[in-house]
Amino acid sequence: MSNIKKTAVVTGAAGFLGSHLTDRLLAEGYKVIGIDNLLTGNTRNIAHLAGNPDFHFIKHDVTNYIYLPGEVHLVFHFASPASPIDYLKLPIQTMKVGSLGTHNTLGLAKAKGATFLLASTSETYGDPLEHPQKETYWGNVNPIGPRGVYDEAKRFAEAMTMAYHRAHGVDTKIVRIFNTYGPRMRLEDGRVVPAFIGQALEGRPLTVFGDGSQTRSFCYVSDLIDGIYKLSQSERHEPVNIGNPAEMTIRQFAEAILRITGSSQPIIEKELPKDDPKVRQPDITLARQLLGWEPKVSFEDGIRRTIDYFRDFLRINS
Ligand code: UDP
Protein backbone atom coordinates (compact mmCIF):
# COMPACT_ATOMS: atom_id res chain seq x y z
CA MET A 1 0.00 0.00 0.00
CA SER A 2 2.82 2.41 0.85
CA ASN A 3 3.76 2.90 -2.80
CA ILE A 4 0.23 4.00 -3.74
CA LYS A 5 0.25 7.77 -4.04
CA LYS A 6 -2.21 9.91 -2.12
CA THR A 7 -4.29 12.46 -4.01
CA ALA A 8 -4.46 16.16 -3.18
CA VAL A 9 -6.85 18.68 -4.70
CA VAL A 10 -5.63 22.27 -5.03
CA THR A 11 -8.14 24.97 -5.96
CA GLY A 12 -6.50 28.02 -7.50
CA ALA A 13 -3.75 25.73 -8.81
CA ALA A 14 -2.88 28.10 -11.69
CA GLY A 15 -2.37 31.01 -9.29
CA PHE A 16 0.78 32.25 -7.59
CA LEU A 17 0.53 30.25 -4.35
CA GLY A 18 -1.56 27.39 -5.76
CA SER A 19 1.05 26.58 -8.40
CA HIS A 20 3.94 26.60 -5.90
CA LEU A 21 1.91 24.44 -3.51
CA THR A 22 1.19 22.02 -6.36
CA ASP A 23 4.93 21.74 -7.09
CA ARG A 24 5.64 20.98 -3.43
CA LEU A 25 2.89 18.34 -3.20
CA LEU A 26 4.18 16.60 -6.35
CA ALA A 27 7.70 16.66 -4.85
CA GLU A 28 6.29 15.09 -1.66
CA GLY A 29 4.87 12.22 -3.73
CA TYR A 30 1.22 13.21 -4.05
CA LYS A 31 -0.92 13.06 -7.15
CA VAL A 32 -2.44 16.51 -7.60
CA ILE A 33 -5.74 17.52 -9.16
CA GLY A 34 -5.50 21.25 -9.85
CA ILE A 35 -8.72 23.23 -10.27
CA ASP A 36 -8.86 26.83 -11.49
CA ASN A 37 -11.32 28.96 -13.46
CA LEU A 38 -8.38 31.12 -14.66
CA LEU A 39 -10.07 34.35 -13.56
CA THR A 40 -6.83 35.63 -11.99
CA GLY A 41 -4.72 32.48 -12.44
CA ASN A 42 -2.81 31.62 -15.61
CA THR A 43 -1.92 28.24 -17.13
CA ARG A 44 1.58 29.68 -17.70
CA ASN A 45 2.18 28.96 -13.97
CA ILE A 46 1.57 25.23 -14.44
CA ALA A 47 2.83 24.85 -18.02
CA HIS A 48 5.93 23.02 -16.72
CA LEU A 49 3.64 20.25 -15.41
CA ALA A 50 2.21 19.39 -18.82
CA GLY A 51 2.72 15.68 -19.39
CA ASN A 52 3.35 14.93 -15.70
CA PRO A 53 1.29 11.76 -15.06
CA ASP A 54 0.74 12.78 -11.43
CA PHE A 55 -0.86 16.13 -12.31
CA HIS A 56 -4.33 16.65 -13.70
CA PHE A 57 -5.83 20.07 -14.42
CA ILE A 58 -9.54 20.86 -14.47
CA LYS A 59 -10.83 24.25 -15.56
CA HIS A 60 -13.74 24.78 -13.21
CA ASP A 61 -15.29 27.51 -11.08
CA VAL A 62 -15.48 26.09 -7.55
CA THR A 63 -18.45 28.30 -6.68
CA ASN A 64 -20.33 25.58 -8.62
CA TYR A 65 -20.66 21.99 -7.42
CA ILE A 66 -17.41 20.01 -7.68
CA TYR A 67 -17.70 16.44 -8.89
CA LEU A 68 -14.56 14.32 -8.71
CA PRO A 69 -14.44 10.53 -9.02
CA GLY A 70 -11.97 8.49 -6.98
CA GLU A 71 -10.17 8.95 -3.71
CA VAL A 72 -9.03 12.31 -2.34
CA HIS A 73 -6.90 12.60 0.81
CA LEU A 74 -6.22 16.35 1.01
CA VAL A 75 -8.13 19.42 -0.20
CA PHE A 76 -6.40 22.81 -0.30
CA HIS A 77 -8.75 25.74 -0.96
CA PHE A 78 -6.53 28.44 -2.49
CA ALA A 79 -8.84 29.84 -5.17
CA SER A 80 -9.55 33.57 -4.77
CA PRO A 81 -8.63 36.93 -6.21
CA ALA A 82 -5.99 37.99 -3.69
CA SER A 83 -4.65 41.43 -4.55
CA PRO A 84 -6.55 44.55 -3.48
CA ILE A 85 -6.89 45.67 -7.14
CA ASP A 86 -8.25 42.26 -8.17
CA TYR A 87 -10.82 42.05 -5.45
CA LEU A 88 -11.93 45.64 -6.06
CA LYS A 89 -12.48 44.70 -9.73
CA LEU A 90 -14.09 41.37 -8.88
CA PRO A 91 -16.01 42.00 -5.64
CA ILE A 92 -18.86 39.53 -6.18
CA GLN A 93 -16.57 36.74 -7.47
CA THR A 94 -14.33 37.30 -4.44
CA MET A 95 -17.26 36.95 -2.05
CA LYS A 96 -18.58 33.90 -3.90
CA VAL A 97 -15.30 31.97 -3.96
CA GLY A 98 -14.74 32.66 -0.25
CA SER A 99 -18.28 31.60 0.69
CA LEU A 100 -19.80 29.21 -1.89
CA GLY A 101 -16.34 28.01 -2.96
CA THR A 102 -15.41 27.23 0.63
CA HIS A 103 -18.73 25.43 1.15
CA ASN A 104 -18.22 23.30 -1.97
CA THR A 105 -14.61 22.43 -1.18
CA LEU A 106 -15.53 21.55 2.41
CA GLY A 107 -18.33 19.39 1.01
CA LEU A 108 -15.79 17.63 -1.22
CA ALA A 109 -13.49 17.01 1.77
CA LYS A 110 -16.39 15.67 3.82
CA ALA A 111 -17.60 13.36 1.04
CA LYS A 112 -14.08 11.96 0.51
CA GLY A 113 -13.07 11.80 4.19
CA ALA A 114 -10.20 14.13 3.25
CA THR A 115 -8.22 16.65 5.29
CA PHE A 116 -9.10 20.25 4.36
CA LEU A 117 -6.80 23.28 4.48
CA LEU A 118 -8.15 26.81 4.02
CA ALA A 119 -5.97 29.61 2.68
CA SER A 120 -7.00 32.44 4.97
CA THR A 121 -5.27 35.76 5.35
CA SER A 122 -3.80 38.42 7.61
CA GLU A 123 -6.67 40.54 6.23
CA THR A 124 -8.88 38.82 8.82
CA TYR A 125 -7.10 41.17 11.27
CA GLY A 126 -8.11 44.21 9.15
CA ASP A 127 -6.38 47.46 10.14
CA PRO A 128 -5.03 45.89 13.33
CA LEU A 129 -5.13 47.51 16.76
CA GLU A 130 -2.83 44.80 18.14
CA HIS A 131 0.74 44.62 16.88
CA PRO A 132 2.26 42.20 15.95
CA GLN A 133 -0.79 40.07 15.25
CA LYS A 134 -1.32 36.86 17.22
CA GLU A 135 -3.89 34.24 16.18
CA THR A 136 -5.96 35.15 19.26
CA TYR A 137 -6.63 38.69 17.93
CA TRP A 138 -10.16 39.06 16.51
CA GLY A 139 -9.33 41.90 14.16
CA ASN A 140 -10.53 45.37 13.17
CA VAL A 141 -12.37 44.98 9.86
CA ASN A 142 -14.68 47.42 8.08
CA PRO A 143 -17.32 45.06 6.64
CA ILE A 144 -18.70 47.58 4.12
CA GLY A 145 -15.44 49.17 2.94
CA PRO A 146 -13.81 48.26 -0.39
CA ARG A 147 -11.61 45.58 1.21
CA GLY A 148 -14.59 44.11 3.08
CA VAL A 149 -15.41 41.77 0.17
CA TYR A 150 -12.14 39.91 0.68
CA ASP A 151 -11.80 40.26 4.46
CA GLU A 152 -15.35 39.20 5.26
CA ALA A 153 -15.36 36.37 2.70
CA LYS A 154 -12.24 34.96 4.35
CA ARG A 155 -13.69 35.47 7.83
CA PHE A 156 -16.84 33.64 6.70
CA ALA A 157 -14.60 30.93 5.21
CA GLU A 158 -12.84 30.48 8.56
CA ALA A 159 -16.20 30.26 10.37
CA MET A 160 -17.51 27.74 7.83
CA THR A 161 -14.34 25.66 8.14
CA MET A 162 -14.64 25.51 11.93
CA ALA A 163 -18.35 24.62 11.55
CA TYR A 164 -17.50 21.66 9.29
CA HIS A 165 -14.89 20.58 11.80
CA ARG A 166 -17.22 20.84 14.79
CA ALA A 167 -20.47 19.66 13.19
CA HIS A 168 -19.17 17.05 10.73
CA GLY A 169 -15.82 16.11 12.26
CA VAL A 170 -13.89 17.07 9.10
CA ASP A 171 -10.13 17.27 9.74
CA THR A 172 -9.62 20.96 8.93
CA LYS A 173 -6.69 23.41 9.08
CA ILE A 174 -6.59 27.18 8.57
CA VAL A 175 -3.50 29.13 7.54
CA ARG A 176 -3.48 32.91 7.87
CA ILE A 177 -1.14 34.00 5.11
CA PHE A 178 0.77 37.28 5.46
CA ASN A 179 2.25 39.24 2.52
CA THR A 180 4.12 36.77 0.32
CA TYR A 181 6.15 37.37 -2.81
CA GLY A 182 8.17 35.52 -5.41
CA PRO A 183 8.18 34.22 -8.98
CA ARG A 184 4.77 33.79 -10.71
CA MET A 185 3.15 36.84 -9.17
CA ARG A 186 1.40 38.84 -11.89
CA LEU A 187 3.29 41.95 -12.86
CA GLU A 188 0.05 43.90 -13.14
CA ASP A 189 -1.78 42.54 -10.09
CA GLY A 190 -1.31 45.85 -8.27
CA ARG A 191 0.46 44.45 -5.23
CA VAL A 192 3.42 46.39 -4.00
CA VAL A 193 6.13 43.82 -4.83
CA PRO A 194 5.38 43.36 -8.56
CA ALA A 195 4.35 47.04 -8.84
CA PHE A 196 7.68 48.42 -7.58
CA ILE A 197 9.84 45.83 -9.35
CA GLY A 198 7.99 46.40 -12.64
CA GLN A 199 8.32 50.18 -12.27
CA ALA A 200 12.05 49.96 -11.48
CA LEU A 201 12.79 47.55 -14.34
CA GLU A 202 10.73 49.46 -16.89
CA GLY A 203 12.06 52.88 -15.87
CA ARG A 204 8.99 54.44 -14.28
CA PRO A 205 8.70 56.28 -10.93
CA LEU A 206 7.86 54.11 -7.90
CA THR A 207 4.33 54.84 -6.67
CA VAL A 208 4.22 54.89 -2.87
CA PHE A 209 0.64 55.13 -1.61
CA GLY A 210 0.22 57.73 1.14
CA ASP A 211 3.46 58.83 2.82
CA GLY A 212 4.83 55.26 2.79
CA SER A 213 4.97 55.02 6.60
CA GLN A 214 2.59 52.02 6.61
CA THR A 215 4.40 48.73 7.28
CA ARG A 216 4.30 45.22 5.82
CA SER A 217 6.36 42.08 6.50
CA PHE A 218 7.31 40.14 3.39
CA CYS A 219 7.72 36.34 3.21
CA TYR A 220 9.41 34.53 0.33
CA VAL A 221 7.12 32.01 -1.34
CA SER A 222 9.20 28.84 -0.66
CA ASP A 223 9.16 29.60 3.09
CA LEU A 224 5.41 30.14 3.06
CA ILE A 225 4.73 26.91 1.15
CA ASP A 226 6.95 24.99 3.57
CA GLY A 227 4.91 26.30 6.52
CA ILE A 228 1.64 25.43 4.78
CA TYR A 229 2.80 21.92 3.92
CA LYS A 230 3.87 21.33 7.54
CA LEU A 231 0.52 22.65 8.79
CA SER A 232 -1.32 20.25 6.47
CA GLN A 233 0.49 17.36 8.18
CA SER A 234 -0.22 18.65 11.71
CA GLU A 235 -3.07 18.05 14.15
CA ARG A 236 -3.96 21.74 14.56
CA HIS A 237 -7.50 22.87 13.72
CA GLU A 238 -7.42 26.52 14.81
CA PRO A 239 -5.79 29.18 12.59
CA VAL A 240 -2.00 29.46 12.38
CA ASN A 241 -0.12 32.54 11.09
CA ILE A 242 2.50 31.86 8.43
CA GLY A 243 4.63 34.79 7.32
CA ASN A 244 7.95 36.50 7.84
CA PRO A 245 8.12 38.90 10.83
CA ALA A 246 10.79 41.08 9.13
CA GLU A 247 8.77 44.32 9.06
CA MET A 248 9.54 47.46 7.05
CA THR A 249 7.79 50.61 5.89
CA ILE A 250 6.62 50.78 2.29
CA ARG A 251 9.02 53.68 1.71
CA GLN A 252 11.95 51.53 2.97
CA PHE A 253 10.73 48.79 0.64
CA ALA A 254 10.73 51.21 -2.34
CA GLU A 255 14.27 52.33 -1.47
CA ALA A 256 15.42 48.70 -1.28
CA ILE A 257 13.98 47.97 -4.73
CA LEU A 258 15.75 51.01 -6.21
CA ARG A 259 19.04 49.94 -4.60
CA ILE A 260 18.86 46.28 -5.64
CA THR A 261 17.74 46.95 -9.21
CA GLY A 262 20.22 49.83 -9.55
CA SER A 263 17.41 52.15 -10.64
CA SER A 264 17.54 55.91 -10.12
CA GLN A 265 13.83 56.50 -10.60
CA PRO A 266 12.13 58.90 -8.16
CA ILE A 267 9.63 57.80 -5.51
CA ILE A 268 6.30 59.59 -5.96
CA GLU A 269 3.33 59.64 -3.56
CA LYS A 270 -0.16 58.61 -4.65
CA GLU A 271 -3.43 58.60 -2.71
CA LEU A 272 -3.61 56.01 0.07
CA PRO A 273 -6.39 53.47 -0.66
CA LYS A 274 -9.29 53.40 1.82
CA ASP A 275 -8.83 51.17 4.88
CA ASP A 276 -5.21 50.36 3.94
CA PRO A 277 -3.81 48.68 7.09
CA LYS A 278 -1.25 50.96 8.81
CA VAL A 279 0.83 48.11 10.21
CA ARG A 280 1.15 44.38 9.68
CA GLN A 281 3.52 41.85 11.20
CA PRO A 282 2.86 38.22 12.03
CA ASP A 283 3.56 36.81 15.47
CA ILE A 284 4.80 33.33 14.45
CA THR A 285 5.40 31.91 17.94
CA LEU A 286 2.67 29.33 17.36
CA ALA A 287 4.07 28.13 14.00
CA ARG A 288 7.53 27.87 15.56
CA GLN A 289 6.28 25.77 18.49
CA LEU A 290 3.73 23.67 16.66
CA LEU A 291 5.42 23.05 13.31
CA GLY A 292 9.08 23.73 14.08
CA TRP A 293 8.82 26.18 11.18
CA GLU A 294 10.34 29.56 10.60
CA PRO A 295 11.32 31.49 7.46
CA LYS A 296 14.81 30.86 6.09
CA VAL A 297 15.13 33.04 2.97
CA SER A 298 16.47 36.54 3.65
CA PHE A 299 14.71 39.56 2.18
CA GLU A 300 17.76 40.34 0.03
CA ASP A 301 17.93 36.79 -1.45
CA GLY A 302 14.20 36.50 -2.01
CA ILE A 303 13.92 39.90 -3.65
CA ARG A 304 16.90 39.21 -5.94
CA ARG A 305 15.30 35.93 -7.09
CA THR A 306 12.00 37.73 -7.69
CA ILE A 307 13.67 40.54 -9.64
CA ASP A 308 15.45 37.92 -11.80
CA TYR A 309 12.09 36.28 -12.52
CA PHE A 310 10.45 39.56 -13.57
CA ARG A 311 13.48 40.56 -15.64
CA ASP A 312 13.23 37.27 -17.59
CA PHE A 313 9.46 37.63 -17.84
CA LEU A 314 9.75 41.13 -19.31
CA ARG A 315 12.43 40.03 -21.76
CA ILE A 316 10.37 37.09 -23.03
CA ASN A 317 7.12 39.06 -23.20
CA SER A 318 8.39 42.35 -24.59
N1 UDP B 1 1.34 50.09 -2.17
C1 UDP B 1 2.06 51.19 -2.63
N2 UDP B 1 2.25 51.32 -3.98
C2 UDP B 1 1.78 50.42 -4.91
C3 UDP B 1 1.06 49.30 -4.43
C4 UDP B 1 0.86 49.17 -3.06
O1 UDP B 1 2.52 52.02 -1.85
O2 UDP B 1 2.00 50.66 -6.12
C5 UDP B 1 1.16 49.92 -0.72
C6 UDP B 1 -0.29 49.69 -0.29
O3 UDP B 1 -0.97 50.89 -0.09
C7 UDP B 1 -0.08 48.92 1.00
C8 UDP B 1 1.22 48.14 0.77
O4 UDP B 1 1.87 48.79 -0.32
O5 UDP B 1 0.12 49.80 2.08
C9 UDP B 1 1.00 46.68 0.41
O6 UDP B 1 0.06 46.62 -0.61
P1 UDP B 1 -0.35 45.30 -1.37
O7 UDP B 1 -1.34 45.68 -2.43
O8 UDP B 1 0.87 44.59 -1.80
O9 UDP B 1 -1.05 44.35 -0.30
P2 UDP B 1 -1.80 44.55 1.11
O10 UDP B 1 -0.76 44.25 2.12
O11 UDP B 1 -2.33 45.96 1.25
O12 UDP B 1 -2.89 43.56 1.05
Side-chain angles (χ1 to χ4, degrees):
M1 281 300 280
S2 61
N3 60 356
I4 295 178
K5 293 194 169 198
K6 289 188 173 176
T7 298
V9 169
V10 177
T11 75
F16 166 46
L17 295 183
S19 66
H20 284 286
L21 176 63
T22 296
D23 287 344
R24 173 68 185 260
L25 290 166
L26 290 167
E28 295 288 343
Y30 284 84
K31 283 179 175 288
V32 178
I33 301 171
I35 306 179
D36 204 302
N37 67 351
L38 304 178
L39 194 59
T40 57
N42 194 306
T43 50
R44 183 173 60 228
N45 293 333
I46 46 173
H48 60 287
L49 300 177
N52 184 327
D54 290 332
F55 180 66
H56 182 62
F57 179 71
I58 302 172
K59 185 171 182 292
H60 178 70
D61 176 348
V62 294
T63 66
N64 299 309
Y65 185 84
I66 306 160
Y67 171 75
L68 286 179
E71 279 192 302
V72 174
H73 302 89
L74 266 173
V75 176
F76 292 87
H77 183 33
F78 276 61
S80 179
S83 84
I85 284 195
D86 284 344
Y87 51 75
L88 291 184
K89 268 195 296 213
L90 303 164
I92 315 271
Q93 292 92 330
T94 301
M95 295 226 71
K96 283 176 74 178
V97 74
S99 54
L100 306 176
T102 302
H103 190 205
N104 286 333
T105 50
L106 278 163
L108 176 70
K110 174 171 166 265
K112 302 289 187 183
T115 293
F116 177 88
L117 189 145
L118 173 70
S120 187
T121 168
S122 56
E123 283 282 325
T124 58
Y125 302 122
D127 189 2
L129 304 176
E130 178 181 304
H131 190 68
Q133 293 78 53
K134 280 200 273 297
E135 289 84 348
T136 46
Y137 179 48
W138 289 356
N140 177 40
V141 172
N142 174 4
I144 58 164
R147 300 173 85 103
V149 293
Y150 184 66
D151 302 8
E152 295 296 6
K154 290 291 188 183
R155 288 166 67 98
F156 173 92
E158 288 197 5
M160 189 63 138
T161 301
M162 291 309 297
Y164 264 65
H165 174 63
R166 293 188 182 118
H168 292 312
V170 176
D171 177 29
T172 60
K173 332 274 174 199
I174 299 173
V175 57
R176 290 194 180 139
I177 298 170
F178 283 67
N179 293 66
T180 302
Y181 68 97
R184 302 185 194 156
M185 291 187 99
R186 267 168 40 237
L187 207 47
E188 74 290 3
D189 87 354
R191 281 188 278 199
V192 72
V193 175
F196 286 1
I197 295 178
Q199 289 161 350
L201 294 180
E202 293 182 315
R204 288 177 281 126
L206 272 58
T207 52
V208 162
F209 296 165
D211 64 5
S213 62
Q214 70 273 34
T215 69
R216 294 294 186 274
S217 310
F218 297 102
C219 185
Y220 189 66
V221 63
S222 59
D223 280 334
L224 184 95
I225 296 297
D226 189 46
I228 289 172
Y229 181 74
K230 289 192 165 100
L231 178 62
S232 77
Q233 310 295 311
S234 81
E235 300 298 319
R236 182 79 180 186
H237 302 300
E238 285 78 26
V240 178
N241 290 338
I242 300 284
N244 191 323
E247 186 184 14
M248 66 185 81
T249 68
I250 292 302
R251 184 169 289 276
Q252 285 169 335
F253 179 63
E255 284 160 0
I257 296 297
L258 291 178
R259 175 177 56 79
I260 300 170
T261 56
S263 164
S264 50
Q265 287 295 318
I267 292 173
I268 57 169
E269 290 186 9
K270 295 252 182 173
E271 196 185 338
L272 187 68
K274 186 164 165 39
D275 298 336
D276 197 289
K278 284 179 266 314
V279 289
R280 182 180 291 156
Q281 184 192 35
D283 181 319
I284 58 165
T285 309
L286 189 59
R288 278 199 175 100
Q289 287 169 352
L290 208 68
L291 312 173
W293 173 87
E294 61 182 6
K296 295 194 166 55
V297 180
S298 71
F299 175 75
E300 197 84 12
D301 280 357
I303 282 294
R304 282 185 194 281
R305 287 185 219 173
T306 309
I307 290 170
D308 287 348
Y309 167 81
F310 282 123
R311 205 176 260 130
D312 287 348
F313 182 87
L314 284 170
R315 196 174 48 235
I316 294 161
N317 293 285
S318 63

